[in-house]
Amino acid sequence: MGEEKSLLEGLMQELRRGTLVLSVLSQVREERYGYSLIQTLEEKGVPVDPNTLYPLLRRLEKQGLLESCWETGGSRPRKYYRRTGYGDEVYARLREQWIELAGGMENLLKEDQA
């Protein structure tokens, strides 16, 4: 039973990981800092671990999809992220692909219930 549980947990994690880039890009149209992004994603049903999110934000920035700036005027410095023009283009394409894929998956899963 422990092996089956481990397999299922791994598959579920893989499924979530596959949607994380799209989830993050969908929420950084305007400037967001990491912790607020974690809260927003969780509120919308997409929980993400900080140890997963922060490296992802840095990778997306390195890939040119996000840009960042530091805000130092508050009680503590915060790094804000937002999509670049290129990030907007990539997000739009990923969004279209997701809609097509989700529709196909819905059809497959409906067949299974029949």
Side-chain angles (χ1 to χ4, degrees):
M1 180 66 179
E3 199 173 299
E4 291 173 359
K5 183 179 178 185
S6 177
L7 173 64
L8 181 58
E9 286 175 0
L11 290 171
M12 289 171 42
Q13 182 179 18
E14 192 175 317
L15 184 61
R16 283 191 306 270
R17 189 177 295 137
T19 63
L20 193 54
V21 169
L22 181 59
S23 300
V24 168
L25 289 176
S26 76
Q27 298 302 302
V28 289
R29 182 180 68 239
E30 297 175 0
E31 290 184 345
R32 304 290 296 267
Y33 63 96
Y35 185 70
S36 74
L37 190 53
I38 290 169
Q39 289 178 311
T40 298
L41 289 170
E42 190 169 300
E43 289 169 5
K44 295 183 179 187
V46 183
V48 59
D49 187 274
N51 294 324
T52 301
L53 179 66
Y54 290 107
L56 175 62
L57 291 171
R58 288 190 296 272
R59 180 171 60 89
L60 294 175
E61 183 176 20
K62 186 176 182 181
Q63 293 171 332
L65 301 175
L66 298 180
E67 58 189 5
S68 67
C69 66
W70 282 96
E71 174 62 51
T72 58
S75 60
R76 61 182 177 185
R78 288 187 173 148
K79 191 172 187 179
Y80 284 81
Y81 295 88
R82 67 173 286 155
R83 283 193 319 244
T84 61
Y86 179 54
D88 289 341
E89 293 173 29
V90 169
Y91 168 67
R93 297 283 306 274
L94 289 174
R95 185 179 180 277
E96 289 171 13
Q97 182 65 43
W98 174 259
I99 291 169
E100 287 179 29
L101 184 59
M105 287 302 300
E106 187 174 343
N107 290 335
L108 288 172
L109 298 176
K110 279 182 183 177
E111 284 178 7
D112 186 49
Q113 292 179 340

